[in-house]
Amino acid sequence: MHDRSASVGWAQYTAFGLRIASELKLPELIRSSSGMVEDVVIRQADLTAWSDRLEQTNFVMQGERFMFQIPGTAIYAVREGKEIEVCIHSGADMETVRLFVLGTCMGVLLMQRRILPIHGSAIVIGGKAYAFVGESGTGKSTLAAAFRQAGYQMVSDDVIAVKTTASAPIVYPAYPQQKLGLDSLLQLETLQGNKHVRSPKNRLVLTDGNPAMPQYGDLRKLTGELNKYAVPIVDEFYNEPLPLAGVFELVAEAHSRKLQCEGEIPAVTEQSLNVLECLHTLLLHTYRRVTIPRMGLGEWYFGTSAQMARKVEGWRLLRNSSAFTASEIVQRVLELIHKEEDSYGSH
């Protein structure tokens, strides 16, 4: 590829272990030094010839290009793991345009580069990365934020980029931002009295006047995301590759009011996953997995997931959906990890 660093108006970034040269400004990403030779180019292009066809289907494979359209926002094309083309619709909101560049486009690009994107959040514990996955609403981002409040650094939120190696799967850091819902932000305020939580440097306010969790800048509401805010995590972001040591699947369980009143429901219980169960969890929580068959990556996808499942520990965490259990889960996760480390150390 050509060095675009000298192009007027282009900016250089790093994310997901990749050097990125972009015609679009991407303030969410970490800037890198100019003069680099990029791995990925993000540029504007005229893709309007594909509008009619893309209106009839979710996405199109055109040779090596994966193409999709978000009505009122943009047409996107991702090619060979090297290039993202964006055709921005007139009047489109640029935050929404970037949301799909850093989300769906990046997930597809990672798969084209044979890097597995897992849908979840990743935290650094004891020099290793641990992934937290689960269906929407199970609390994985809230849990990751609770770990940050407890002094642990985050590697990724939403898209976890993992590459398999002979020794261990490696997680590549994404970028220093987390997406959190208003309910989570307000609930996290209640953790401030917890012994595991650091004292905040200052208290902030959301840009629409709602109270916010302690951070270091105003929180911006994400366009196109229902009641979600962009939380900067520069001070809590770990920007180096790490081995993936474990995967925790969060499952929210509803319990009867009678049992809750009797106090018989623990905040969280865990189940250890065997290799097949861990494989199923990885397959279930792969980012944008519905695109894989059309991209012809089914064999690679299954093989990579199976290799990963054999090399990491897996747990399922069943949490009481009627209560805010983030602090209890943080403590339980740390206990499980330390117990696992102790058992390995005894052999």
Side-chain angles (χ1 to χ4, degrees):
M1 298 188 66
H2 300 293
D3 181 3
R4 303 293 181 97
S5 59
S7 299
V8 176
W10 287 62
Q12 290 75 47
Y13 305 96
T14 58
F16 303 103
L18 302 170
R19 297 164 297 184
I20 300 169
S22 179
E23 186 177 3
L24 300 179
K25 294 294 185 288
L26 302 170
E28 297 86 355
L29 303 189
I30 294 175
R31 294 292 294 260
S32 64
S33 57
S34 59
M36 69 176 188
V37 177
E38 73 281 347
D39 301 303
V40 176
V41 167
I42 300 174
R43 65 184 184 90
Q44 296 192 60
D46 183 2
L47 303 172
T48 53
W50 293 89
S51 295
D52 290 344
R53 186 172 174 187
L54 287 166
E55 285 177 1
Q56 309 300 320
T57 182
N58 290 331
F59 56 87
V60 167
M61 287 298 301
Q62 188 260 330
E64 295 296 320
R65 288 200 301 181
F66 176 97
M67 305 181 69
F68 67 99
Q69 178 172 221
I70 303 300
T73 299
I75 300 173
Y76 301 89
V78 188
R79 183 177 64 83
E80 297 180 322
K82 298 176 182 178
E83 187 173 57
I84 297 173
E85 294 177 313
V86 186
C87 180
I88 302 172
H89 293 333
S90 177
D93 176 78
M94 286 307 298
E95 290 184 14
T96 307
V97 172
R98 297 199 307 269
L99 192 70
F100 287 95
V101 169
L102 299 177
T104 300
C105 287
M106 200 58 68
V108 169
L109 182 135
L110 289 170
M111 285 189 279
Q112 289 176 342
R113 298 182 72 94
R114 305 305 186 264
I115 298 172
L116 185 67
I118 297 174
H119 189 197
S121 301
I123 294 293
V124 184
I125 303 173
K128 299 175 182 177
Y130 290 85
F132 296 89
V133 302
E135 297 298 331
S136 178
T138 54
K140 51 187 180 294
S141 290
T142 306
L143 178 60
F147 267 105
R148 288 197 296 104
Q149 284 192 326
Y152 294 87
Q153 290 178 292
M154 177 177 286
V155 187
S156 184
D157 181 59
D158 199 34
V159 181
I160 309 171
V162 188
K163 188 173 182 65
T164 56
T165 69
S167 56
I170 301 297
V171 173
Y172 289 94
Y175 52 93
Q177 177 178 289
Q178 193 180 14
K179 292 189 291 187
L180 285 171
L182 179 58
D183 288 346
S184 296
L185 289 165
L186 297 178
Q187 287 171 327
L188 286 161
E189 286 284 338
T190 67
L191 296 182
Q192 291 308 305
N194 189 291
K195 67 179 181 179
H196 292 283
V197 177
R198 298 170 300 173
S199 298
K201 291 183 179 179
N202 49 26
R203 180 184 174 88
L204 300 184
V205 174
L206 297 180
T207 52
D208 59 2
N210 288 301
M213 63 184 288
Q215 276 294 336
Y216 307 103
D218 289 336
L219 301 185
R220 171 175 52 82
K221 191 168 184 178
L222 290 165
T223 307
E225 293 269 358
L226 183 62
N227 244 354
K228 284 199 172 183
Y229 292 82
V231 180
I233 58 168
V234 175
D235 292 338
E236 300 99 346
F237 183 64
Y238 189 89
N239 196 27
E240 295 291 339
L242 283 169
L244 178 66
V247 176
F248 290 87
E249 181 184 27
L250 291 177
V251 178
E253 289 192 317
H255 298 286
S256 71
R257 185 175 298 276
K258 179 176 183 294
L259 288 176
Q260 292 173 31
C261 293
E262 293 172 357
E264 297 178 6
I265 304 300
V268 58
T269 57
E270 74 280 347
Q271 300 171 352
S272 179
L273 303 180
N274 60 33
V275 173
L276 284 178
E277 291 168 330
C278 191
L279 171 60
H280 178 264
T281 297
L282 291 171
L283 294 174
L284 182 63
H285 298 293
T286 297
Y287 190 79
R288 301 294 188 258
R289 68 182 188 276
V290 296
T291 66
I292 293 172
R294 288 282 295 276
M295 294 169 65
L297 296 177
E299 185 176 346
W300 163 81
Y301 170 49
F302 187 85
T304 296
S305 300
Q307 184 180 353
M308 199 178 299
R310 290 192 293 269
K311 292 180 178 293
V312 302
E313 297 298 324
W315 294 271
R316 180 173 294 118
L317 300 175
L318 309 172
R319 75 170 189 85
N320 182 358
S321 62
S322 63
F324 184 65
T325 54
S327 57
E328 290 89 343
I329 297 177
V330 167
Q331 295 176 35
R332 190 65 192 124
V333 165
L334 294 176
E335 290 169 2
L336 287 169
I337 291 173
H338 293 150
K339 181 179 178 181
E340 193 69 34
E341 290 173 345
D342 291 342
S343 71
Y344 276 119
S346 64
H347 294 298

